[in-house]
């Protein structure tokens, strides 16, 4: 699952980093340079498709989080009962640190994946244009200023957004499961039969009334 997530995140990271690298390289003639180096309508369509798909996935993820948050805020479990104990708790420093560590770890992996993919892509594009193969250090050449830094920055931004969304979804889903477990425990407790009273033993109220009307036994002081 983690590998699939990284692969899914690598695609928009690669596309965005590629566009920003060319923007840093060519500036105002960025569009013309893309077309000159073989990035024609097919590339433009691919970029648009990736951008739209990424935006739709982001909207869907945020909508799911909003829906879970509303259920937690209303204190409703699967039976619709109120459970105020499941309301959101303050975020601890430990949780923030865990999110940061996971985000940085994902950013490092994304940076490595995208650097390799972008290196391969640029070499293939140069070869297709008849310029030969520049080699594995192409992103470190003067032709690609700040390429590595741009890739790392884009990867960090994508990784942090993905990590925050995943963490928030997990937190809310965990709270909802806890609410459902408490509701099930309450239903089970209510359904258990209560022990029947022993008919041979007088009720406490009856015994107290009887003792109240009678004189104390002989062995008790008057």
């Amino acid at each position: 699952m983690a590998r699939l997530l990284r692969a899914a995140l690598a695609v928009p990271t690669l596309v965005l980093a590629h566009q920003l690298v060319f923007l840093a390289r060519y500036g105002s003639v960025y569009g013309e340079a893309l077309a000159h180096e073989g990035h024609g309508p097919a590339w433009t369509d691919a970029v648009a498709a990736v951008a739209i798909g990424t935006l739709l996935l982001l909207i869907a993820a945020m909508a799911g989080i909003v829906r879970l948050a509303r259920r937690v805020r209303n204190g409703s479990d699967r039976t619709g009962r109120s459970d105020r104990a499941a309301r959101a708790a303050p975020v601890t420093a430990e949780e923030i640190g865990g999110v940061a560590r996971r985000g940085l770890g994902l950013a490092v992996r994304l940076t490595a994946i995208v650097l390799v993919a972008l290196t391969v892509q640029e070499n293939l594009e140069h070869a297709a244009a008849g310029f030969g193969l520049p080699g594995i250090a192409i992103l470190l050449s003067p032709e690609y200023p700040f390429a590595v830094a741009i890739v790392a920055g884009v990867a960090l931004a994508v990784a942090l957004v993905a990590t925050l969304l995943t963490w928030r979804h997990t937190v809310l889903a965990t709270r909802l499961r806890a609410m459902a477990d408490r509701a099930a425990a309450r239903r089970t407790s209510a359904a258990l039969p209560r022990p029947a009273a022993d008919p041979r033993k007088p009720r406490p109220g009856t015994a107290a009334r009887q003792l109240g009307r009678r004189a104390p036994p002989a062995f008790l002081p008057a």
Side-chain angles (χ1 to χ4, degrees):
M1 187 64 181
R3 293 180 180 178
L4 182 60
L5 175 62
R6 287 196 295 269
L9 294 175
V11 175
T13 305
L14 172 63
V15 170
L16 181 56
H18 179 278
Q19 300 300 93
L20 291 177
V21 166
F22 268 75
L23 182 61
R25 178 181 176 186
Y26 293 106
S28 60
V29 294
Y30 150 80
E32 298 176 10
L34 280 175
H36 177 70
E37 295 199 11
H39 300 84
W43 173 255
T44 303
D45 293 343
V47 171
V50 170
I52 293 173
T54 302
L55 182 60
L56 291 176
L57 289 176
L58 181 61
I59 292 173
M62 294 181 67
I65 290 175
V66 169
R67 185 169 57 252
L68 288 175
R70 185 180 297 116
R71 291 182 61 188
V72 172
R73 186 169 57 251
N74 294 335
S76 60
D77 58 17
R78 294 176 183 173
T79 62
R81 294 183 179 179
S82 177
D83 192 345
R84 302 300 177 186
R87 286 186 178 274
V91 179
T92 64
E94 184 179 357
E95 286 180 301
I96 295 175
V99 171
R101 286 191 297 272
R102 289 193 295 273
L104 290 175
L106 180 57
V108 170
R109 295 180 180 88
L110 276 180
T111 300
I113 293 171
V114 173
L115 284 175
V116 171
L118 190 56
T119 298
V120 173
Q121 179 181 348
E122 291 304 305
N123 272 274
L124 293 177
E125 289 174 356
H126 276 68
F131 301 135
L133 293 174
I136 61 174
I138 183 174
L139 298 182
L140 299 176
S141 66
E143 282 188 86
Y144 294 84
F146 312 112
V148 176
I150 290 172
V151 170
V154 173
L156 179 61
V158 172
L160 287 179
V161 170
T163 304
L164 283 172
L165 290 175
T166 303
W167 165 76
R168 189 58 181 165
H169 185 278
T170 302
V171 167
L172 293 173
T174 301
R175 287 173 181 162
L176 285 176
R177 283 195 296 269
M179 291 164 58
D181 291 343
R182 282 191 288 270
R186 287 195 298 266
R187 289 193 297 269
T188 302
S189 177
L192 290 176
R194 296 184 178 182
D198 191 345
R200 295 172 297 180
K201 295 182 178 180
R203 295 180 180 179
T206 304
R209 287 194 298 270
Q210 292 174 350
L211 287 176
R213 290 196 300 266
R214 295 178 180 176
F219 59 83
L220 293 178

